[in-house]
Amino acid sequence: MYQKLETYPNVEIQFYNVADFNLQYYVGCCKCYKNGKCIFNDDIEKISENIETADGIIIGTPTYAGNVSGQMKVIIDRGHFVIEQLLFGKYAVSVSSYENHGGKDTARIINKLLCYSGATISKSLVIKTPFSNNPLCTHKTHNMVNDTTHKFYKDIHNQKKYLFQKIKHFIIFQFGILPFVRKKGNEYQGVVTKWKKYGIKYSNIK
């Protein structure tokens, strides 16, 4: 029997289909790091603003050639995730689907993005399913998604701590991201402004 997908009180869900977005490709100008906003006025800015106010995020993608979809790669490139620490203090679930091979590789790509961006990963789902089929058509997958949803909700509600993830992110930020931004000085002032907004502690940087 299927487990009934649970509903939770006082929960607002916003769903986005990446294929419907109007997105420009990343051009590497780095203007957002200085000004806090992308030079392109398209859908990615609205998405990032909504993510800022969310308690958690679920990112899912099919696997194409052992990687995320092309549309998802544009979101990763332009979504203000890593340097600006968009997911700091938030909980996350990653979902990758595949038919033949590469689902775990795709999951690793998404999980690296989540970790480097400051998120706490509640669960990672890797789902094998026939191409273009609904993965929820099987009892096993349906119940697995239900269990993951429940765990995700509980983690957010209880603010569960994952010590290993916390230590890993601390090392990445303190010894990777922070020194890099520090060297950039005023050119990355928009990044520092975002860190202040998110309550990220740092030192020896203007």
Side-chain angles (χ1 to χ4, degrees):
M1 294 291 292
Y2 289 119
Q3 294 180 21
K4 182 180 178 181
L5 288 176
E6 296 186 48
T7 57
Y8 300 95
N10 302 317
V11 173
E12 178 185 345
I13 299 173
Q14 296 184 10
F15 175 80
Y16 298 99
N17 186 354
V18 177
D20 296 335
F21 293 155
N22 171 35
L23 299 174
Q24 297 289 330
Y25 292 115
Y26 182 66
V27 297
C29 69
C30 298
K31 294 295 184 182
C32 60
Y33 296 147
K34 183 174 183 178
N35 303 322
K37 188 174 182 179
C38 184
I39 62 171
F40 297 122
N41 184 22
D42 58 9
D43 290 338
I44 192 63
E45 292 301 306
K46 180 181 179 182
I47 297 166
S48 295
E49 289 173 4
N50 289 342
I51 291 174
E52 277 188 4
T53 60
D55 297 309
I57 180 172
I58 300 172
I59 297 183
T61 178
T63 297
Y64 297 150
N67 209 319
V68 300
S69 68
Q71 297 98 321
M72 180 58 67
K73 185 59 169 65
V74 176
I75 294 289
I76 292 173
D77 290 343
R78 293 203 40 230
H80 305 286
F81 285 101
V82 178
I83 298 298
E84 288 142 304
Q85 295 289 282
L86 180 63
L87 305 182
F88 181 78
K90 303 181 188 301
Y91 288 82
V93 171
S94 68
V95 182
S96 64
S97 63
Y98 73 106
E99 180 177 34
N100 182 39
H101 181 73
K104 291 183 179 179
D105 295 329
T106 300
R108 279 192 286 268
I109 292 168
I110 302 176
N111 289 337
K112 181 183 288 186
L113 170 72
L114 297 173
C115 173
Y116 284 19
S117 303
T120 297
I121 302 172
S122 292
K123 188 75 173 179
S124 180
L125 294 178
V126 181
I127 301 171
K128 186 173 184 179
T129 184
F131 193 72
S132 295
N133 275 28
N134 179 3
L136 293 178
C137 63
T138 69
H139 295 275
K140 180 180 178 180
T141 303
H142 190 280
N143 293 338
M144 182 170 60
V145 168
N146 190 76
D147 291 342
T148 298
T149 303
H150 184 61
K151 185 175 187 299
F152 185 47
Y153 174 81
K154 284 183 64 178
D155 282 358
I156 295 174
H157 186 265
N158 299 327
Q159 291 294 289
K160 183 173 180 179
K161 306 300 181 185
Y162 291 86
L163 183 58
F164 176 76
Q165 291 191 48
K166 191 175 182 66
I167 293 172
K168 183 177 180 180
H169 176 260
F170 176 84
I171 293 172
I172 291 169
F173 181 78
Q174 291 293 330
F175 299 100
I177 297 172
L178 179 57
F180 176 75
V181 172
R182 195 177 278 148
K183 286 191 298 184
K184 292 292 184 175
N186 289 333
E187 288 300 308
Y188 275 42
Q189 188 56 47
V191 174
V192 177
T193 300
K194 286 288 181 68
W195 289 356
K196 291 178 180 178
K197 183 177 182 180
Y198 302 153
I200 298 175
K201 296 179 180 180
Y202 56 90
S203 60
N204 300 324
I205 188 170
K206 295 181 179 179

